[in-house]
Amino acid sequence: MAAPVGGLEAEEGGGAGRRASAVEVSAPSDPAAPAPRCPHGPTLLFVKVSQGKEEPRKFYACSACRDRKDCNFFQWEDEKLSEARLAAREAYNQRHQPPLSRAQCIERYLSFVQLPLTQRKFCQSCQQLLLPADWREHSEHQLLSDISITQLRKPSQLLYPLENKKTHAQFLFADRSCRFLAGLLATLGFRRVLCVGTPRLHEQIRLTAAGDRSNTKSLLLDIDFRYSQFYLEDSFCHYNMFNHHFFDGKAALEVCRAFLQEEEGEGVIMVTDPPFGGLVEPLAITFKKLIAMWKEGQSQEDSHKELPIFWIFPYFFESRICQFFPSFHMLDYQVDYDNHTLYKHGKTGRKQSPVRIFTNIPPDRITLPIEEGYRFCSLCQRYVSLENQHCVHCNSCTSKDGRKWSHCFLCRKCVKPSWIHCSTCNRCALPDHSCAGPKDGCFICGALDHKRSNCPNIGIAKRPNKSVEFSFSLEKKKKKIAGVKVPSSVCGLRSDSRHCHHCVLLPGLRGDTEASKACFRELRLAGETQDSQNQRRKRVTFHLPWLIRNANFRMKVQTSPKVMILARVRLHGKTGADAWWQEGTGKAFRMGWSKPFHSRKVCIPKQQRAEFMWDSNSTACSFSQLK
Ligand SMILES: C[S@@+](CC[C@H](N)C(=O)[O-])C[C@H]1O[C@@H](n2cnc3c(N)ncnc32)[C@H](O)[C@@H]1O
Ligand SMILES: [Zn+2]
Ligand SMILES: [Zn+2]
Ligand SMILES: [Zn+2]
Ligand SMILES: [Zn+2]
Ligand SMILES: [Zn+2]
Ligand SMILES: [Zn+2]
């Protein structure tokens, strides 16, 4: 596949046709034609939209995996496949199903709990509960022994989270958020919770129910098959929320249906926390199918009722979610994650989490914890963040991100504190925005209410790094390396980074303003910091203006003779809703000996930020952008 779906998340949130290029879900030309299937169930039909125009040829790709490494299904909509290829595909799909059936998992689980404690082992390497007959096969693996019933009830602590952003994005609730959610559901009187992609909440509800005998039930639907080892058939279904596919067929679908329709659908809520990189539209279609399933079980007089839902998602998807579910509104509560360094609560994390709860439950029924910085606004009749002040002009507590917003009389609405009204654009924007630049929202997440430089996803690079300080000097006389010209009007960097209008530059760099006005193509960096191992390590972070995201750089490091250096390029998340730190993608390469400058070509594909790091006794490092 020509990587068309790779950029999906980048394009979500902004809506159709505003970006240079986006991939969107599309309606099939023939609605009766069934979508071809990959191992993750029916695929989705996508279309590439460039400059607002749809490319004529649509294609099918995996609904669940946004990285072709995870599932490389690709088929043009109008492509005809031979019988032999169809049969091969079917065989491939079969081979890529989980090794054990649901029934086998349950049988194994029942045998496992019967074992004495000393015989209960878990293989961390294979992420599998072991029965004595399996021990030999796993003897060389990393094993955990004496697995208690308490541990079995907390599989999300036993299993390692699948953080692969493009498929599972398994970011688990921090204890604080998990307890808050479980408590809120209990306070609201729900007796059944359909947990769609919320394994830790599922676990918490079951633990609480076991403790207080409240009998609250929970059913987990998740694509992570590992969970099937820990639950009987009435509490887990292997499920794909992007195409409403039950991997175990009709029997599993019936489990879900019965769960939703119990007590004529009374007392049930759906809570979902999908991977943030996922497209809103297919999720909305799925949730509507679950709602329809719940409705079938309702009596006539209840037909006006809605299935209560908590959809946990970043706040900048508000307009997109409300487009599909107009009765939803966003709560101010900031949802925290354990294994997510960025999305943590303001007080403890490095950054305020942008993740919120969207719900159709009236906000006056939802109490947010005062001790965590929420207050009740009697005018809005809802709990809001302490900083979120009631605006008398808007007659509402208007902040979306937890900061105090200010009212603009010209725009007739409240705007972010850092914005000012621009008479050229006739709207509020960041002071250093480009009036000539694209006016259609943020290039990272696509939201219309902010630009990329103010995007909550931009994260790490913008924060000043106290331990590293760089200085640079312009080397005009040096042999010039051709640079790519970026017109200043499209350069997305803030003016306070003193960037050159024509180059990619480094936020936080301090330097000569004259120099930054000139078109310089080579930067010289000097600076260092110590890391924990007392190694010398230098690092610099690049912001790439949106236009030149596919950029080649030359990195040159000057080493003292006979010093081998290890350089590393780290890419910070792709564009899009989950521009998170991507630990795993650091590409390390060695650079040779003794020559005064060693150079390497580095390609930064589509990322918005990249970090260059080098360990060495090197005296200087320079970067230049190549054509
Ligand atoms: C952002 S995490 C949410 C976990 C939640 N915060 C918790 O702690 O319970 C996303 C969850 O959705 C699941 N998931 C990812 N893709 C899915 C898909 N296509 N269908 C169903 N579940 C999926 C992941 O396995 C993961 O459990
Ligand atoms: Zn697939
Ligand atoms: Zn093993
Ligand atoms: Zn208010
Ligand atoms: Zn206002
Ligand atoms: Zn304004
Ligand atoms: Zn302007």
Side-chain angles (χ1 to χ4, degrees):
M1 182 170 71
V5 202
L8 271 184
E9 64 224 60
E11 318 304 341
E12 184 53 65
R18 291 194 206 97
R19 322 305 200 67
S21 150
V23 178
E24 293 173 2
V25 191
S26 175
S29 313
D30 172 9
R37 297 165 85 93
C38 72
H40 308 94
T43 53
L44 296 179
L45 188 63
F46 294 99
V47 65
K48 199 165 175 197
V49 182
S50 303
Q51 244 108 41
K53 286 198 211 89
E54 282 193 8
E55 278 182 10
R57 230 172 156 197
K58 298 177 185 176
F59 61 88
Y60 289 102
C62 181
S63 60
C65 309
R66 291 168 298 284
D67 190 335
R68 59 178 304 200
K69 282 200 237 79
D70 297 325
C71 179
N72 65 0
F73 187 99
F74 181 81
Q75 185 185 324
W76 291 113
E77 185 186 26
D78 53 9
E79 195 176 341
K80 292 275 169 285
L81 296 191
S82 67
E83 286 300 319
R85 269 190 73 192
L86 287 173
R89 176 183 289 166
E90 182 52 35
Y92 175 89
N93 289 351
Q94 284 304 325
R95 277 202 310 281
H96 286 79
Q97 292 308 311
L100 297 174
S101 72
R102 195 68 189 92
Q104 283 170 313
C105 289
I106 288 164
E107 203 177 305
R108 286 177 60 92
Y109 172 79
L110 293 172
S111 313
F112 191 89
V113 291
Q114 297 294 319
L115 292 172
L117 187 65
T118 52
Q119 292 191 21
R120 288 196 219 130
K121 296 185 200 295
F122 174 74
C123 177
Q124 288 183 307
S125 318
C126 306
Q127 294 284 292
Q128 200 189 321
L129 293 175
L130 303 182
L131 294 175
D134 310 318
W135 291 352
R136 239 183 68 191
E137 200 186 316
H138 299 261
S139 58
E140 306 281 297
H141 298 180
Q142 187 114 24
L143 300 186
L144 276 183
S145 301
D146 299 348
I147 304 295
S148 65
I149 294 296
T150 312
Q151 281 174 297
L152 282 178
R153 286 182 177 164
K154 297 181 180 174
S156 79
Q157 318 253 357
L158 212 50
L159 302 166
Y160 61 75
L162 302 174
E163 291 182 10
N164 161 358
K165 280 209 298 288
K166 292 212 173 152
T167 302
H168 294 90
Q170 207 160 51
F171 294 105
L172 300 168
F173 294 131
D175 207 38
R176 185 186 76 86
S177 288
C178 202
R179 283 175 193 277
F180 164 73
L181 278 168
L184 178 60
L185 296 173
T187 311
L188 291 168
F190 292 107
R191 301 180 291 280
R192 294 189 316 289
V193 185
L194 182 68
C195 286
V196 185
T198 57
R200 187 159 275 181
L201 178 66
H202 175 63
E203 192 171 294
Q204 176 73 42
I205 294 166
R206 290 167 56 90
L207 279 169
T208 314
D212 65 9
R213 297 174 183 276
S214 62
N215 220 9
T216 306
K217 288 201 278 186
S218 178
L219 170 63
L220 173 64
L221 310 183
D222 202 289
I223 203 163
D224 186 352
F225 179 72
R226 298 173 307 167
Y227 282 98
S228 63
Q229 303 174 75
F230 299 88
Y231 298 116
L232 299 181
E233 61 267 69
D234 62 352
S235 49
F236 176 79
C237 298
H238 188 203
Y239 178 75
N240 180 353
M241 65 167 104
F242 289 102
N243 58 4
H244 188 52
H245 174 67
F246 287 86
F247 289 82
D248 296 290
K250 197 148 186 310
L253 179 126
E254 290 309 326
V255 168
C256 177
R257 190 197 302 281
F259 188 84
L260 285 171
Q261 295 182 358
E262 203 177 310
E263 294 184 51
E264 290 199 329
E266 269 300 298
V268 68
I269 180 169
M270 180 186 111
V271 182
T272 182
D273 185 9
F276 309 139
L279 289 168
V280 171
E281 188 174 351
L283 289 171
I285 293 172
T286 290
F287 302 153
K288 285 182 193 258
K289 287 182 181 161
L290 289 166
I291 294 167
M293 206 187 250
W294 167 80
K295 266 205 172 297
E296 284 164 21
Q298 293 251 289
S299 57
Q300 273 302 329
E301 63 263 34
D302 285 342
S303 62
H304 62 281
K305 283 195 186 162
E306 285 188 31
L307 171 67
I309 292 177
F310 279 167
W311 177 344
I312 297 163
F313 227 46
Y315 72 80
F316 37 83
F317 283 94
E318 184 182 21
S319 59
R320 193 84 172 117
I321 291 179
C322 294
Q323 204 180 324
F324 291 99
F325 296 100
S327 64
F328 281 25
H329 54 88
M330 191 177 91
L331 305 180
D332 268 24
Y333 186 79
Q334 298 187 2
V335 180
D336 283 352
Y337 295 86
D338 242 8
N339 51 334
H340 201 299
T341 46
L342 280 181
Y343 290 6
K344 287 201 175 157
H345 188 245
K347 293 194 190 82
T348 51
R350 299 196 297 171
K351 191 176 178 243
Q352 304 218 10
S353 165
V355 183
R356 303 286 186 273
I357 303 169
F358 295 88
T359 183
N360 50 358
I361 296 174
D364 58 356
R365 290 187 54 202
I366 296 172
T367 306
L368 302 186
I370 291 167
E371 63 282 9
E372 284 175 26
Y374 301 96
R375 64 174 181 93
F376 187 72
C377 172
S378 53
L379 297 162
C380 294
Q381 285 290 302
R382 67 172 182 116
Y383 277 85
V384 293
S385 295
L386 270 184
E387 305 279 289
N388 189 359
Q389 299 206 352
H390 192 88
C391 167
V392 287
H393 311 289
C394 298
N395 192 24
S396 138
C397 288
T398 43
S399 168
K400 303 287 180 193
D401 60 9
R403 295 181 297 166
K404 180 174 181 279
W405 285 24
S406 40
H407 190 83
C408 169
F409 289 94
L410 295 163
C411 292
R412 296 210 205 124
K413 63 172 185 181
C414 281
V415 296
K416 295 192 172 176
S418 48
W419 289 17
I420 52 159
H421 193 87
C422 167
S423 51
T424 314
C425 299
N426 200 22
R427 66 185 181 94
C428 279
L430 276 172
D432 61 338
H433 73 284
S434 145
C435 301
K439 295 191 177 64
D440 294 318
C442 171
F443 283 100
I444 294 178
C445 70
L448 290 174
D449 64 348
H450 62 263
K451 290 285 185 186
R452 66 173 297 289
S453 46
N454 216 25
C455 179
N457 283 325
I458 211 155
I460 309 157
K462 263 174 63 176
R463 276 190 301 280
N465 186 342
K466 290 205 182 71
S467 59
V468 192
E469 216 161 72
F470 295 100
S471 65
F472 67 94
S473 66
L474 181 61
E475 292 201 331
K476 279 182 185 151
K477 289 187 190 104
K478 277 201 144 196
K479 194 177 125 233
K480 291 219 169 142
I481 301 168
V484 176
K485 283 212 170 187
V486 182
S488 59
S489 63
V490 297
C491 177
L493 293 177
R494 295 172 64 110
S495 57
D496 56 9
S497 2
R498 306 224 169 162
H499 66 279
C500 161
H501 287 299
H502 303 274
C503 306
V504 179
L505 269 202
L506 315 162
L509 265 188
R510 307 246 204 90
D512 167 357
T513 343
E514 274 318 296
S516 56
K517 276 187 201 141
C519 174
F520 59 163
R521 293 176 176 125
E522 194 161 355
L523 291 169
R524 211 154 210 272
L525 309 168
E528 63 183 69
T529 181
Q530 309 282 119
D531 77 359
S532 50
Q533 279 102 48
N534 219 17
Q535 253 182 330
R536 284 154 74 90
R537 175 167 291 181
K538 303 180 183 185
R539 132 192 337 213
V540 62
T541 309
F542 272 77
H543 264 235
L544 306 184
W546 64 278
L547 241 200
I548 47 161
R549 266 180 232 151
N550 250 322
N552 284 311
F553 286 88
R554 184 167 298 281
M555 174 183 186
K556 297 211 290 181
V557 181
Q558 185 165 32
T559 58
S560 351
K562 297 277 171 212
V563 172
M564 179 74 121
I565 70 143
L566 182 70
R568 204 179 272 280
V569 181
R570 238 184 206 179
L571 303 179
H572 295 248
K574 289 189 91 79
T575 59
D578 68 346
W580 296 334
W581 183 269
Q582 240 180 329
E583 278 300 345
T585 52
K587 276 191 196 149
F589 45 82
R590 286 188 183 281
M591 298 216 228
W593 306 82
S594 73
K595 270 189 250 144
F597 262 104
H598 299 284
S599 85
R600 261 305 172 113
K601 212 178 108 196
V602 188
C603 183
I604 305 181
K606 283 196 185 135
Q607 262 77 9
Q608 300 243 340
R609 296 194 301 282
E611 186 174 77
F612 293 85
M613 232 163 50
W614 58 100
D615 297 328
S616 73
N617 298 318
S618 65
T619 52
C621 177
S622 71
F623 296 100
S624 46
Q625 200 189 335
L626 302 174
K627 266 209 170 108

